[in-house]
Amino acid sequence: MNPLLLWFHKLGSPPYFYRLAGRLLPWLWALALAGLALGLYGGLFVAPRDYQQGDAFRIIFVHVPCAWMSLFVYFFMAANGFIALVWRIKLSETLAMAAAPIGAAFTFICLATGSIWGKPMWGTWWTWDARLTSELVLLFLYLGVIGLYHAIEDRRQAARAAAFLALIGIVNLPIVHFSVNWWNTLHQGSTVKLFGPSLIDARMLWPLLTMAVATKFLFAASLLSRARVDLLELESGKDWVRQIALAEEPRA
Amino acid sequence: MSYGTATSACRAVFVRDFGLVWRRRGDALNPVLFAIMVVALFPFALGPEPKALQQISAGAVLVALLLAGLLSLDALFRSDLEDGSLEQLVLSPHPLALLLACKIAVHWLTTALPLLLVAPLLGEMLYLPRPVLGTLMAALALSTPLLSLIGAVCVALTVGMRRSGMLLALLVLPLYVPVLIFAAGACNAAQQGLPTLAPLLWLGAALALALVLAPLACAAALRISLN
């Protein structure tokens, strides 16, 4: 068998994934914390004041990466849900369900920071603008997935039902992303562009991109930590879990 | 052994479901009564001035009908699950999506259509401007089948649970938001004398998409939750 394919099959086995994640976790946490520290330092101290908004604009170094993550995590959850439904890979069910609370947290932080910024800048905590409304619907979708997962007794069936709901909700992702172009409401368009030059000063751009990378690592670290615990719970009767439990016992 | 054609299977589903509704025809009026009562709450809460009520009339009727539809969704598969006929549907050799589309159609005809017929009365209770009524009815005719189809998928996901009412609302309402936005958008445009065609066409496009995809999704969801 192709070595890459073999590795992929091995990755799907819970004991192998558990050990691999355990080895990766310290690195991921370290990279995430270092990246967050660097990005926040760059954003809060190094980047110049905005000519119009003063220091208030600095909240974008939290707000924008969280908004990107809210979409990225949903896509990750739905993609894993698709894999779980089509190929019945147990690990994908666990990953999809472990990602849901993290994504909900990013979405909540994005909405909260936006509203804190909106009070001095727009003069209101909340407005029924297309971007804000679709992001709020995204939060509700996350909560629906989490609620459905916890309402069904059988863990694997619950994960499959919730993964299916996540797949239906994916129609909301393009609405959130393109809402600033489709509807001309209060929220501004994007200033950071993947293709072509960005409309933001380079001294403000690098902390933003650092934060974007750091939140990816934060997500990966948090996801693997949650997935490890979920796997232990899911497989609690299996031999490999019993061995881990026995190894932990003398220390406790 | 022959199973009969898919057409005869669909006819059997239609006859059975209509028969069941006809035997308990008193229950079929409940969503209508619910919608009337919800609309009657608005004058109590906001005061009886026609001007204030007129402002919110189209939106209030839309929300009342949406909530009445949400409450009746739970009954879509409930009795079939209890008497075991839902498993028989899943096991039948005919395409499950087609049979479910028939069930959803009967459900729409028996719960949403009476609501649609009573909508002009509800509008009148809140002094809905006469020119807006046509747009409101068009928006309702396009959006209520859409709501039934989207709702059926979510009901199929929660079908095995005993107390699924609150959870069902949590799953369904985020998906209802875009439908409500376009339906209300058409009514608001009519109230201001603007063209209403664009939001109605959006609703029609979404309905065409849902008519094809929702029964398939509903069948897949039902297979997950019946396992």
Side-chain angles (χ1 to χ4, degrees), chain A residues 45-205:
Chain A
F45 297 104
V46 180
R49 286 161 59 94
D50 185 78
Y51 81 99
Q52 207 170 19
Q53 301 179 15
D55 280 328
F57 95 98
R58 292 182 197 277
I59 207 163
I60 68 157
F61 296 110
V62 177
H63 175 74
V64 174
C66 283
W68 285 338
M69 285 312 283
S70 69
L71 297 181
F72 176 83
V73 175
Y74 197 94
F75 184 75
F76 176 88
M77 178 173 77
N80 266 292
F82 182 77
I83 295 170
L85 286 174
V86 176
W87 290 288
R88 302 277 170 121
I89 296 177
K90 198 191 283 179
L91 183 65
S92 287
E93 294 169 11
T94 311
L95 286 178
M97 290 306 112
I102 309 172
F106 275 124
T107 314
F108 179 77
I109 294 173
C110 167
L111 286 169
T113 50
S115 144
I116 292 167
W117 176 87
K119 185 62 189 167
M121 289 301 142
W122 289 346
T124 170
W125 294 105
W126 183 261
T127 160
W128 292 102
D129 150 280
R131 177 55 77 74
L132 275 67
T133 311
S134 53
E135 187 78 9
L136 185 66
V137 169
L138 187 69
L139 180 64
F140 289 154
L141 284 172
Y142 273 121
L143 296 181
V145 168
I146 298 170
L148 185 62
Y149 179 58
H150 289 288
I152 301 177
E153 203 76 24
D154 181 73
R155 290 293 76 193
R156 296 206 59 192
Q157 193 195 341
R160 278 206 294 277
F164 192 80
L165 182 72
L167 272 181
I168 299 171
I170 209 164
V171 291
N172 190 35
L173 287 198
I175 300 182
V176 176
H177 183 77
F178 292 112
S179 54
V180 283
N181 305 344
W182 291 346
W183 291 279
N184 250 327
T185 40
L186 201 50
H187 195 289
Q188 73 218 59
S190 54
T191 37
V192 179
K193 291 196 167 60
L194 205 52
F195 306 104
S198 294
L199 303 174
I200 183 173
D201 190 275
R203 286 167 300 170
M204 296 173 182
L205 183 61

Side-chain angles (χ1 to χ4, degrees), chain B residues 13-14 17-18 21 28 31-32 65-66 68-70 72-77 99-119 136-152 176 179 207 210-211:
Chain B
V13 170
F14 267 113
D17 279 13
F18 271 121
V21 174
V32 173
L65 260 61
L66 184 147
L70 179 68
S72 66
L73 267 182
D74 194 46
L76 183 55
F77 298 130
L99 301 178
L100 289 176
C102 296
K103 283 192 80 68
I104 299 168
V106 174
H107 186 259
W108 182 79
L109 286 171
T110 52
T111 58
L113 199 59
L115 286 171
L116 211 60
L117 294 178
V118 86
L136 176 67
M137 293 308 285
L140 282 174
L142 288 171
S143 60
T144 49
L146 196 51
L147 297 180
S148 293
L149 286 164
I150 296 171
Y176 276 8
V179 182
L207 178 59
L211 269 178

Side-chain angles (χ1 to χ4, degrees), chain B residues 14-88:
Chain B
F14 267 113
V15 169
R16 174 177 177 278
D17 279 13
F18 271 121
L20 283 174
V21 174
W22 183 247
R23 299 230 179 103
R24 302 181 57 91
R25 44 193 177 274
D27 289 2
L29 275 180
N30 284 349
V32 173
L33 289 176
F34 173 82
I36 293 176
M37 282 172 187
V38 168
V39 168
L41 291 179
F42 282 93
F44 294 127
L46 298 176
E49 286 92 49
K51 222 175 164 58
L53 291 174
Q54 202 166 37
Q55 280 280 315
I56 55 138
S57 54
V61 172
L62 280 170
V63 172
L65 260 61
L66 184 147
L67 290 178
L70 179 68
L71 285 183
S72 66
L73 267 182
D74 194 46
L76 183 55
F77 298 130
R78 164 89 41 225
S79 65
D80 292 335
L81 181 76
E82 279 164 1
D83 66 12
S85 51
L86 199 60
E87 269 102 345
Q88 296 304 317

